[in-house]
Amino acid sequence: WQQALGLLAVMQQTAVLPDVISYTAAISACEKGQQWQQALGLLAVMQQTAVLPNVISFSALISACEKGQQWQQALGLLVVMQQTAVLPDVISYNAVIASCEKGQQWQQALRLLAVMQQTAVLPDIISFSAVLGACEMAQQCQRALGLLAVMQQTVLHYLQCQGIRSPGVSFL
């Protein structure tokens, strides 16, 4: 992560302006180095230099916050995405949900799953697993069972949309 930040500094010193790809790569390096504050600092620099972050930038930022166990920051970034007209995708939501799971915020995780469905972002196995994990840690067994039913409905709906007949599989 330090090399990535150093490279960004060299780019600026040599009049090579970093673009969204450069910043996103540096944010991703900070994520891997568990440097969530540095990653958020790069978002601030992007905003100051009129470089618009994209969904990949935000997803890397959210993942950095998740690795740093900063669920509030991750949720805040989801709001910033919406304010800047960057549409969250399943990866963005999964990172925030995973952050909520680690922060033992099962209600937030369930709410985010509902938001995904309301905004036509199809939850995947990672989405459901993280919410189930959050419910499990909070000993919310009934919620987890209800979630399994929602998961089954989601899979069946997806299969129908794809023109695939139901295999008759049950998650319960």
Side-chain angles (χ1 to χ4, degrees):
W1 67 271
Q2 293 170 332
Q3 289 178 330
L5 294 181
L7 185 56
L8 278 179
V10 169
M11 288 176 76
Q12 292 166 335
Q13 292 168 358
T14 58
V16 176
L17 296 177
D19 60 7
V20 67
I21 296 170
S22 308
Y23 280 109
T24 301
I27 290 168
S28 184
C30 290
E31 171 207 347
K32 288 171 181 49
Q34 297 184 352
Q35 299 295 316
W36 65 272
Q37 292 121 328
Q38 293 287 340
L40 288 177
L42 289 172
L43 176 63
V45 173
M46 289 175 80
Q47 292 168 334
Q48 292 167 0
T49 57
V51 176
L52 299 175
N54 59 23
V55 68
I56 300 167
S57 310
F58 276 110
S59 293
L61 280 162
I62 293 168
S63 290
C65 291
E66 179 246 325
K67 286 183 175 56
Q69 298 185 9
Q70 300 296 314
W71 67 269
Q72 299 99 329
Q73 292 284 349
L75 275 174
L77 286 167
L78 200 60
V79 172
V80 172
M81 286 180 82
Q82 294 160 344
Q83 291 170 344
T84 57
V86 177
L87 296 175
D89 61 9
V90 68
I91 295 168
S92 309
Y93 278 109
N94 285 350
V96 179
I97 291 171
S99 182
C100 290
E101 176 190 14
K102 286 184 179 177
Q104 298 181 355
Q105 300 297 313
W106 65 272
Q107 291 139 321
Q108 290 287 354
L110 278 171
R111 186 185 65 76
L112 288 166
L113 188 66
V115 169
M116 287 177 77
Q117 294 168 323
Q118 292 165 1
T119 57
V121 176
L122 187 67
D124 62 11
I125 190 69
I126 296 167
S127 315
F128 285 109
S129 293
V131 177
L132 282 169
C135 289
E136 177 188 5
M137 284 197 296
Q139 298 180 346
Q140 295 291 319
C141 297
Q142 290 300 327
R143 302 265 186 198
L145 286 173
L147 189 57
L148 287 173
V150 170
M151 187 174 167
Q152 184 174 13
Q153 291 170 349
T154 302
V155 169
L156 293 175
H157 176 73
Y158 174 77
L159 292 174
Q160 287 175 342
C161 290
Q162 298 297 314
I164 301 170
R165 286 181 37 133
S166 171
V169 175
S170 175
F171 295 100
L172 300 176

